């Protein structure tokens, strides 16, 4: 077993962190305060190469691999870049870009990937519906073949990047009788007739990302925009997305945990009560020790699942464990970070306040903690849907 990153990986992580501290964090911190998405930060991240990390060179990417991609995102979080901005990156590059790369036709890859990598086009992904969240397969959105087009009707809820996206990967029912095999995926451009978005949703955290509903009213989709095989939108495209999402998207959060440990350590050494730095009190020391251990445990789970994916091993259950543990430890850690800051931690001026609000989404998005536990326990106990042992 080798726990050592390569020299190139260490240098890459450092260079991203340095770049992000100087160029990105000030822009995104300001954007988060104003509940806006920063196009300027997006462009700078693209120019630095962040958008192309996992993708092939032929489309302008750098073929960095899963672990190195995660290291890049971890470095953004460690530099203090807010979770909304890194989630926008994930929604575009991972949830939308990865399925196009792995399951798309040559024409689809050539059309969409280069402009996503230069940052010109932003993507999004629509699986969740107003009435179908954890049970996403019970979706109601339909796509019916008519001539050389599919006609889509329905809506998708809580879609990250929806108001700024050029295109979305959308799942819809194409055969009502075929259950999980009756769902297909499509690339829907946001200027296709019949497409619109709902109002911008006002969120607790991740406020530098924009979120809204996707609405399809007889939306016309050319047949060549079917993504992957007909009927494999849930089993194929959806699973590919969710495995990547539960592996990689939490990487920035894991970096954010390290950032919180650093700022809490600094604060505890500087803040005096009872005539000495609060760092001298055992209660505070123990909090910081626990936070360090949690951030390290999260990091190891993340690196392991990324390594498994780089080595072409199936990793859905490990991805669920990674997502569950990193997000729950992240939430606990961010609560302690506020506590260490006392009343100041409750003030918007301090980054721990933002971290606390941002961290909560980790236990909800990409499948709630309850759903991760359901999948993990099913795998351990070898259970079928409905609870019976196989
Ligand atoms: C800010 C934000 C951004 C998002 N971005 C996207 C996006 O880009 N694309 C996208 O497709 N979706 C996105 N989502 C949706 C997200 O994935 C869903 O919110 C999530 O899957 C939960 O679905 P739900 O909100 O409908 O909750 P529900 O499924 O209604 O769950 C409600 C509660 O019931 C519990 N529950 C449900 N079923 C079970 C069960 N079988 N056993 C035990 N407990 C259960 C849940 O764990 C939860 O506690 C986003 C959500 C948010 C908040």
């Amino acid at each position: 077993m080798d726990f050592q990153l390569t020299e190139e990986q260490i240098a890459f992580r450092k260079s991203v962190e340095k770049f992000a501290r100087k160029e990105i964090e000030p822009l995104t911190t300001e954007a988060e305060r104003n509940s806006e998405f920063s196009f300027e930060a997006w462009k700078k991240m693209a120019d630095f190469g962040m958008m192309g990390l996992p993708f092939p060179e032929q489309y302008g990417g750098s073929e960095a691999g899963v672990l190195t991609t995660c290291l890049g995102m971890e470095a953004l979080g460690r530099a203090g870049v807010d979770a909304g901005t890194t989630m926008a990156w994930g929604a575009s590059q991972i949830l939308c870009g990865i399925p196009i790369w792995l399951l798309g036709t040559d024409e689809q890859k050539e059309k969409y990937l280069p402009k996503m990598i230069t940052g010109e086009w932003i993507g999004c992904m629509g699986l969740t519906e107003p009435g179908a969240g954890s049970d996403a397969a019970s979706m109601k959105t339909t796509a019916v073949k008519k001539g050389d087009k599919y006609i889509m009707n329905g809506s998708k809820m809580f879609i990250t990047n929806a108001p700024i996206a050029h295109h979305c990967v959308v799942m819809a029912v194409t055969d009502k009788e075929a259950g999980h095999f009756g769902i297909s995926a499509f690339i829907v451009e946001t200027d296709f007739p019949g497409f619109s978005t709902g109002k911008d949703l006002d969120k607790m955290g991740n406020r530098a990302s924009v979120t809204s509903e996707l609405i399809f009213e007889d939306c016309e989709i050319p047949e060549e925009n079917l993504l992957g095989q007909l009927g494999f939108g849930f089993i194929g495209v959806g699973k590919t997305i969710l495995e990547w999402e539960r592996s990689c998207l939490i990487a920035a959060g894991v970096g954010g945990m390290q950032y919180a440990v650093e700022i809490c350590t600094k604060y505890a050494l500087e803040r005096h009560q009872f005539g000495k730095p609060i760092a001298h009190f055992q209660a505070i020391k123990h909090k910081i020790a626990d936070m360090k251990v949690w951030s390290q445990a999260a990091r190891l789970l993340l690196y392991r699942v990324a390594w498994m994916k780089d080595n072409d091993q199936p990793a859905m259950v490990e991805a669920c464990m990674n997502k569950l543990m990193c997000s729950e430890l992240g939430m606990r850690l961010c609560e302690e970070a506020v506590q260490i800051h006392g009343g100041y931690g409750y003030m918007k001026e301090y980054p721990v306040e933002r971290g606390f609000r941002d961290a909560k989404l980790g236990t909800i998005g990409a499948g709630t903690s309850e759903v991760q536990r359901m999948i993990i326990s099913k795998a351990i106990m070898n259970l079928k849907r409905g609870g019976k042992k196989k």
Side-chain angles (χ1 to χ4, degrees):
M1 186 176 286
D2 184 359
F3 280 105
Q4 193 59 46
L5 297 172
T6 64
E7 278 177 24
E8 290 78 24
Q9 285 171 324
I10 295 169
F12 168 69
R13 188 172 60 186
K14 266 195 195 147
S15 73
V16 174
E17 195 178 328
K18 190 171 167 210
F19 152 76
R21 269 190 210 282
K22 184 162 178 271
E23 304 284 343
I24 305 300
E25 186 276 329
L27 291 173
T28 54
T29 297
E30 181 64 18
E32 197 276 342
R33 281 202 188 108
N34 300 329
S35 298
E36 286 167 359
F37 173 78
S38 173
F39 286 97
E40 193 182 347
W42 192 263
K43 179 80 179 77
K44 285 191 176 191
M45 278 163 57
D47 291 347
F48 191 81
M50 297 304 289
M51 302 302 163
L53 282 176
F55 299 107
E57 281 175 10
Q58 82 179 99
Y59 305 112
S62 51
E63 297 184 17
V66 185
L67 179 56
T68 305
T69 299
C70 287
L71 293 174
M73 296 319 291
E74 182 190 359
L76 289 184
R78 214 162 125 164
V81 174
D82 75 293
T85 303
T86 54
M87 183 172 73
W89 176 91
S92 177
Q93 308 310 99
I94 300 290
L95 308 191
C96 179
I98 291 288
I100 293 177
W101 166 39
L102 295 179
L103 300 157
T105 60
D106 288 344
E107 291 73 25
Q108 289 169 343
K109 291 183 221 185
E110 274 152 26
K111 177 166 186 190
Y112 296 104
L113 294 180
K115 286 192 176 170
M116 291 182 80
I117 291 169
T118 57
E120 206 175 322
W121 286 355
I122 296 174
C124 68
M125 188 280 296
L127 175 65
T128 307
E129 295 189 354
S134 300
D135 185 13
S138 67
M139 66 181 66
K140 297 278 178 270
T141 298
T142 55
V144 177
K145 188 90 190 285
K146 206 171 174 190
D148 58 357
K149 290 191 170 68
Y150 283 90
I151 306 298
M152 190 176 279
N153 279 290
S155 66
K156 297 285 170 182
M157 192 55 166
F158 303 137
I159 308 306
T160 305
N161 291 344
I164 53 172
H166 169 271
H167 56 276
C168 349
V169 167
V170 180
M171 293 10 152
V173 176
T174 43
D175 181 350
K176 283 185 185 151
E177 309 305 319
H180 284 191
F181 290 94
I183 295 171
S184 304
F186 298 88
I187 306 171
V188 183
E189 296 186 18
T190 53
D191 62 0
F192 283 172
F195 176 91
S196 61
T197 55
K199 66 176 169 43
D200 283 9
L201 298 170
D202 195 8
K203 305 188 295 294
M204 173 198 291
N206 284 256
R207 292 178 69 87
S209 70
V210 282
T211 317
S212 74
E213 205 172 340
L214 305 177
I215 301 164
F216 309 96
E217 290 166 309
D218 290 328
C219 178
E220 295 177 19
I221 304 162
E223 63 182 347
E224 63 269 21
N225 279 38
L226 174 72
L227 176 61
Q229 281 181 50
L230 188 69
F232 279 79
F234 193 73
I235 299 294
V237 181
K239 290 255 160 82
T240 301
I241 292 173
L242 288 173
E243 191 182 294
W244 270 84
E245 186 176 20
R246 291 166 183 169
S247 310
C248 266
L249 231 126
I250 202 82
V254 171
M257 289 166 84
Q258 296 157 43
Y259 173 67
V261 175
E262 274 168 34
I263 53 180
C264 286
T265 306
K266 188 165 177 280
Y267 186 82
L269 289 166
E270 283 168 1
R271 173 74 175 168
H272 283 66
Q273 287 296 287
F274 298 97
K276 50 183 159 184
I278 61 168
H280 287 217
F281 303 127
Q282 194 178 40
I284 300 292
K285 282 185 195 162
H286 284 189
K287 283 189 198 304
I288 290 183
D290 284 346
M291 288 164 69
K292 181 73 187 172
V293 175
W294 296 338
S295 71
Q296 192 60 18
R299 209 174 183 191
L300 289 172
L301 273 172
L302 171 74
Y303 288 4
R304 176 171 145 75
V305 74
W307 175 88
M308 287 178 77
K309 287 186 73 60
D310 273 333
N311 286 281
D312 296 326
Q313 296 184 14
M316 182 51 111
V317 178
E318 284 73 12
C320 291
M321 293 185 200
N322 174 56
K323 193 269 182 187
L324 172 68
M325 203 64 312
C326 292
S327 60
E328 295 207 339
L329 289 178
M331 192 66 236
R332 271 159 79 182
L333 184 145
C334 288
E335 188 181 355
E336 292 292 43
V338 172
Q339 196 68 19
I340 289 170
H341 282 70
Y344 294 100
Y346 204 68
M347 299 297 130
K348 290 218 169 279
E349 202 185 326
Y350 286 76
V352 291
E353 183 270 345
R354 183 191 79 205
F356 183 70
R357 285 184 287 108
D358 284 352
K360 187 59 207 154
L361 184 59
T363 66
I364 297 172
T368 61
S369 287
E370 291 77 11
V371 165
Q372 308 308 319
R373 288 192 169 88
M374 191 171 81
I375 299 170
I376 296 163
S377 59
K378 216 183 252 183
I380 296 169
M381 293 186 268
N382 194 19
L383 293 173
K384 269 188 187 164
R385 211 173 155 79
K388 292 205 182 83
K389 202 166 187 319
K390 271 187 200 168

